[in-house]
Amino acid sequence: MKQLISKRTIDKLSKLKATQILSHFHSKSSIPTSSLPPSTSWTKCRFFQIHNIPIPKFVSWSGKKFIHTDTATDTAEEMVSETEDDATMNDFLSRFVWIMRGKLMEVYPDFEKKTIDEMLLVIVAKVVSELEKGGFDQIVGGKSSSSSQDDDFSHDLWKTVWEVSNVVLEDMEKAKRKDKMKNFLQAEQVKEMCRFAGEVGIRGDMLREYRFKWAREKMEESEFYHSLERFKEEEQQGTEYGIGVVEHQSRAEDPKLVALPKRRGKINYKIYGLDLSDSKWSQVADKIHEAEKIICPQEPKKIDGKCKIITEKLLSSQEQDDYSPLIAEWVQLLQPSRVDWINLLDRLNNRNPSLYLKIAEQVLGEESFQTNIRDYSKLVDAHARDNRREDAERIIRKMSENGIVPDILTSTIMVHMYSKAGDLDRAKAAFESLRTQGFLPDMGVYNSMILAYVNAGDPKKGESLMKEMEVRDIKPSKKIYMALLRSFSQHGDANGAHRIATTMQFSGFQPTSESYMLLVEAFGKAGDPDQARQNFDYMIKLGHKPDDRCTATMIAAYEKNNLLDKALNLLIELEKDGFEPGVATYSVLVDWLSKMQLIDEAEQLLDKIAEQGEAPPFKVHISLCDMYARANVEKKALQALGVLEAKQEQLEPEDFERIIWSLIAGGFVQDAQKFQRLMEARGFTVSEQLQVTLMASQTFLRRRPSVR
């Protein structure tokens, strides 16, 4: 705006005749006035009507210079800082020019910006001229002298100036009242009332409403007293100059919204404290307008007619239907963009998620969809969450075929998917792909890989990843520590279990009864019952009472070394402290007694398991089959063997070998050969010694193997 009323522009404009400016407007227009419709042509001709009069120069405002010129009368005093009145005038002119520009652009949409700026100069010049002559009251009130209408602007333009001026003054009055309201909100009396309301329990929105109510009442009270003072002053002035009180009352009934003060100095356009006089702001506005096209999301096309019918058919399709022709017809009718595709897929996902995945996969090949890597990763993630590994791998292959390298998100999803499926090799490949691309795995990726190693029976590599996490200041969770500890314990790696337990304790996780039980199990399987008993006693010392499972683990450690006396002494000590053996403890004792061929004692323990209302665990049937087969109790041996054959998927390689050895020892050679075939069908390898014994048993059916 500063550029509009610069010295050079005003000097140039003041030398021109009005007719020359008007002809300049028409020369700038890309559409001649005569070619417009009658109504539009009349509007453009009548809206801006000027008759060969010079544009009034911005000479003075009540004896003060309006803008800076090069005349000798310019002094430093005329360029003083703006007073409160100048700020009001700046506000009025800023708002007036802003609204008037929009009006002109509506009437003259084809005119260039420069032409619109020159038209604004003419209008502002006339408004300022009316202010200098004291005729602004008539402008605001909607009245103007006939000479003004005949000599300067058309009636339509004057009417627009009146309307815009009234709107600007109303907005200024609203802003003024808003500022006053802010001051009264911070008044001490209002604050005191709010504090009192808070003390009696008024909070939140209710307190906020009361605060505005009290501030509004204070403002109305203040305005009332100010109006009384103003009325008193007007009455005194009326008495002094001989003006009646009635006349002043009639004037008071029609108050001015805002008094426009006389101004001096150069016009500066400021809105909310921001100086918009610089020409750079017009460039900023143009750039913002261009950026809106990119920032604002594009709306999907309206679907109607035949395209709407095709869309409904697509949404109501089933997975077994052939929806490819429908998609082709939909594309031909709508000519969709990416926004239209996304809108269709979202509606499909809400109505039929399984069909959504299939159509989304087909849409990836559409050129108008503008497929990116995020679209692939979303489908891979959706398939991985539902354990559809083959579908996820198919999407990944499509990515590779199209030359798209999996990003960090896709590689992370692949690590989680393969580790969950137990495919360690592919999980490792996806993990290494992350590192190759320069991405640092996060805690979730580490957890998945550690669990993959644990499930694959390789806890040492999982431990190395855990150390890598600690180097990067990523604290492993308690779940990861316990998974590694459990894996080391199951493999009988006492040193590894001890390392994990120590590291977990240093990381701030206190030992639990389960962690102590796993340590006892690890030392027991490693053949170190003394170290196992030491951890067992330390657990009791810390206040953890051993449960049935933990006690069974300690008894199993003694069983491995055949220390029956120590096991019995432990049970006696625990029973004194109120411990009662459960199914787990009895199961370990049954297995121990079955190996010792103490059939009666083992059957007594079976009765105690039955008294607790539970069926014997599956491992107990292995012990019973071993005991009865070696004792040649055919009926009970075959009964236990039938239970094992029915649940053969639960048997481990060592379980198969124990059963086969016991059957050979009892003379059940055919049954032993049958279980050998079952073992090989499961993919387990029969030991060489057992194979030799089976071959020999075909010749000597009733001969026991001398060595096991």
Side-chain angles (χ1 to χ4, degrees):
M1 297 306 171
K2 181 178 180 181
Q3 185 181 9
L4 292 181
I5 55 174
S6 64
K7 175 180 180 298
R8 185 181 61 182
T9 305
I10 297 302
D11 292 342
K12 179 180 178 182
L13 184 63
S14 62
K15 297 176 183 178
L16 296 177
K17 296 295 184 181
T19 53
Q20 295 174 337
I21 296 175
L22 183 59
S23 64
H24 180 66
F25 293 161
H26 290 292
S27 66
K28 293 289 183 178
S29 176
S30 59
I31 302 176
T33 307
S34 59
S35 64
L36 296 173
S39 61
T40 307
S41 178
W42 182 88
T43 302
K44 291 190 175 183
C45 292
R46 293 288 298 161
F47 186 76
F48 210 94
Q49 180 180 353
I50 308 177
H51 299 284
N52 295 329
I53 63 170
I55 300 300
K57 296 183 180 180
F58 292 69
V59 180
S60 65
W61 187 311
S62 298
K64 301 294 184 179
K65 288 293 182 181
F66 185 68
I67 63 171
H68 177 71
T69 63
D70 295 332
T71 60
T73 56
D74 292 336
T75 62
E77 296 178 356
E78 296 176 63
M79 303 304 297
V80 296
S81 60
E82 293 181 341
T83 61
E84 183 180 355
D85 294 339
D86 294 329
T88 303
M89 177 56 68
N90 279 338
D91 192 10
F92 172 79
L93 290 176
S94 299
R95 295 172 184 266
F96 180 85
V97 172
W98 175 261
I99 299 176
M100 203 65 194
R101 179 185 292 277
K103 298 283 186 182
L104 291 176
M105 293 182 69
E106 289 179 4
V107 179
Y108 302 98
D110 300 329
F111 280 18
E112 296 180 356
K113 183 180 178 182
K114 183 177 180 181
T115 305
I116 297 294
D117 292 344
E118 293 173 352
M119 296 169 70
L120 277 173
L121 278 175
V122 176
I123 296 173
V124 171
K126 185 57 184 174
V127 171
V128 173
S129 176
E130 290 294 327
L131 291 174
E132 290 177 347
K133 294 186 296 184
F136 192 77
D137 292 343
Q138 287 83 3
I139 294 179
V140 175
K143 301 176 182 180
S144 182
S145 63
S146 59
S147 61
S148 297
Q149 291 191 11
D150 295 339
D151 296 338
D152 297 329
F153 296 162
S154 67
H155 175 74
D156 294 334
L157 183 51
W158 276 120
K159 183 179 179 181
T160 304
V161 171
W162 303 333
E163 293 175 354
V164 171
S165 299
N166 281 317
V167 170
V168 169
L169 292 175
E170 289 176 3
D171 292 342
M172 292 173 65
E173 178 64 17
K174 290 178 182 179
K176 183 178 178 182
R177 291 184 63 84
K178 184 177 179 181
D179 292 337
K180 289 176 64 177
M181 188 68 174
K182 291 180 181 178
N183 294 331
F184 282 103
L185 283 171
Q186 303 299 327
E188 288 299 327
Q189 294 183 358
V190 175
K191 289 182 179 180
E192 186 64 28
M193 296 171 72
C194 290
R195 282 193 290 269
F196 177 77
E199 292 175 358
V200 299
I202 299 177
R203 298 287 191 277
D205 294 338
M206 181 177 291
L207 180 59
R208 182 174 179 272
E209 292 178 4
Y210 275 122
R211 183 173 184 177
F212 275 93
K213 177 177 178 292
W214 295 328
R216 187 164 50 252
E217 290 176 352
K218 291 293 295 179
M219 184 176 67
E220 292 173 354
E221 180 183 355
S222 176
E223 291 176 348
F224 173 73
Y225 286 114
H226 281 301
S227 65
L228 290 180
E229 293 177 0
R230 188 168 57 251
F231 179 78
K232 183 178 180 181
E233 292 175 359
E234 290 176 355
E235 186 178 12
Q236 292 175 354
Q237 292 177 2
T239 304
E240 181 179 353
Y241 295 102
I243 302 175
V245 178
V246 178
E247 182 179 353
H248 284 279
Q249 290 178 347
S250 62
R251 292 182 181 178
E253 293 175 356
D254 188 18
K256 304 296 184 300
L257 293 175
V258 172
L260 292 177
K262 300 295 179 68
R263 62 164 292 108
R264 59 187 176 186
K266 183 170 56 178
I267 297 179
N268 292 327
Y269 294 92
K270 290 186 178 181
I271 297 179
Y272 303 110
L274 183 62
D275 185 7
L276 300 180
S277 302
D278 199 329
S279 59
K280 68 179 181 180
W281 291 108
S282 60
Q283 301 175 3
V284 171
D286 295 337
K287 291 181 180 179
I288 291 175
H289 180 68
E290 295 175 359
E292 284 179 352
K293 299 178 181 179
I294 303 175
I295 298 173
C296 296
Q298 183 182 357
E299 294 293 333
K301 297 178 183 177
K302 184 179 180 181
I303 300 177
D304 53 8
K306 187 177 180 180
C307 188
K308 185 176 181 181
I309 298 174
I310 299 299
T311 304
E312 291 299 327
K313 288 183 179 180
L314 268 174
L315 296 175
S316 59
S317 299
Q318 301 298 324
E319 294 185 48
Q320 62 272 13
D321 297 339
D322 185 12
Y323 43 79
S324 298
L326 292 175
I327 293 179
E329 188 173 2
W330 186 80
V331 171
Q332 185 177 3
L333 291 172
L334 188 63
Q335 296 297 317
S337 62
R338 178 174 175 83
V339 178
D340 301 311
W341 281 114
I342 293 176
N343 182 43
L344 175 64
L345 293 176
D346 289 341
R347 295 175 65 183
L348 271 173
N349 192 21
N350 294 332
R351 185 175 294 191
N352 192 343
S354 57
L355 180 63
Y356 155 77
L357 293 174
K358 290 190 174 182
I359 293 183
E361 183 176 349
Q362 183 174 343
V363 169
L364 292 176
E366 295 287 341
E367 183 177 355
S368 59
F369 185 61
Q370 302 175 4
T371 309
N372 55 44
I373 191 171
R374 179 61 182 140
D375 300 320
Y376 286 103
S377 61
K378 285 174 64 177
L379 289 180
V380 172
D381 184 48
H383 287 305
R385 288 179 184 275
D386 295 337
N387 295 323
R388 291 190 293 268
R389 178 179 167 186
E390 295 180 357
D391 295 331
E393 291 176 344
R394 185 175 63 253
I395 302 297
I396 295 172
R397 285 196 297 271
K398 282 188 176 182
M399 291 178 63
S400 302
E401 292 171 0
N402 294 328
I404 300 177
V405 180
D407 60 349
I408 181 173
L409 180 60
T410 309
S411 299
T412 301
I413 295 171
M414 292 165 63
V415 171
H416 293 313
M417 179 180 67
Y418 289 130
S419 63
K420 186 177 180 181
D423 193 340
L424 180 60
D425 294 335
R426 294 192 177 183
K428 287 168 61 178
F431 185 76
E432 292 301 326
S433 175
L434 277 175
R435 291 179 166 177
T436 303
Q437 297 178 50
F439 299 124
L440 295 176
D442 58 5
M443 183 176 181
V445 175
Y446 276 119
N447 291 346
S448 296
M449 278 306 302
I450 291 173
L451 293 177
Y453 282 121
V454 167
N455 295 332
D458 194 355
K460 289 186 177 180
K461 290 185 178 179
E463 184 183 8
S464 64
L465 283 181
M466 185 190 70
K467 292 179 179 178
E468 183 178 323
M469 292 175 67
E470 294 174 347
V471 170
R472 291 185 52 199
D473 292 332
I474 301 177
K475 184 179 180 180
S477 62
K478 186 177 181 179
K479 178 182 177 181
I480 296 300
Y481 282 117
M482 293 302 296
L484 289 171
L485 181 59
R486 191 175 295 107
S487 181
F488 278 119
S489 176
Q490 291 173 355
H491 289 81
D493 190 344
N495 293 330
H498 183 69
R499 286 197 308 271
I500 297 299
T502 304
T503 306
M504 182 173 66
Q505 190 169 0
F506 279 124
S507 297
F509 298 106
Q510 295 300 321
T512 61
S513 57
E514 184 179 4
S515 63
Y516 280 116
M517 183 200 69
L518 293 174
L519 284 173
V520 170
E521 181 181 0
F523 283 109
K525 288 184 177 181
D528 191 352
D530 295 335
Q531 193 67 30
R533 180 61 184 271
Q534 182 178 351
N535 282 278
F536 186 84
D537 293 339
Y538 191 68
M539 177 188 68
I540 297 175
K541 183 179 179 180
L542 292 178
H544 299 287
K545 290 186 178 181
D547 56 3
D548 179 50
R549 185 175 167 219
C550 187
T551 304
T553 303
M554 189 64 236
I555 299 297
Y558 283 131
E559 178 193 0
K560 190 172 182 66
N561 291 272
N562 202 23
L563 300 174
L564 184 59
D565 53 343
K566 291 186 177 181
L568 294 176
N569 290 334
L570 174 63
L571 288 175
I572 292 172
E573 291 178 6
L574 293 176
E575 286 179 353
K576 289 180 180 179
D577 296 334
F579 172 77
E580 294 183 1
V583 175
T585 303
Y586 285 133
S587 299
V588 174
L589 292 174
V590 168
D591 182 67
W592 197 348
L593 295 176
S594 67
K595 292 177 181 179
M596 299 172 64
Q597 291 295 303
L598 300 175
I599 299 177
D600 294 337
E601 289 79 357
E603 289 179 345
Q604 289 178 7
L605 294 178
L606 287 175
D607 293 337
K608 291 188 176 183
I609 293 176
E611 289 176 0
Q612 296 189 4
E614 297 186 19
F618 179 72
K619 292 289 185 180
V620 172
H621 291 285
I622 300 175
S623 303
L624 294 177
C625 179
D626 179 44
M627 181 179 66
Y628 289 130
R630 291 180 181 277
N632 204 14
V633 182
E634 183 175 0
K635 183 178 179 180
K636 293 184 178 181
L638 294 177
Q639 184 179 1
L641 197 63
V643 175
L644 296 176
E645 186 176 358
K647 299 180 179 181
Q648 56 178 297
E649 66 278 358
Q650 300 182 25
L651 294 173
E652 300 295 333
E654 57 271 15
D655 298 330
F656 273 109
E657 293 217 354
R658 181 179 178 184
I659 294 169
I660 295 172
W661 277 112
S662 63
L663 291 174
I664 294 174
F668 303 98
V669 179
Q670 294 181 353
D671 296 311
Q673 292 175 346
K674 180 180 179 180
F675 263 80
Q676 179 192 9
R677 291 191 294 270
L678 293 175
M679 182 178 179
E680 292 174 346
R682 288 279 306 279
F684 300 141
T685 303
V686 182
S687 64
E688 184 177 355
Q689 184 180 3
L690 183 57
Q691 288 180 354
V692 173
T693 305
L694 278 172
M695 293 175 61
S697 63
Q698 296 177 3
T699 305
F700 306 100
L701 296 178
R702 302 295 300 174
R703 182 176 177 180
R704 285 174 172 266
S706 56
V707 180
R708 180 182 171 183

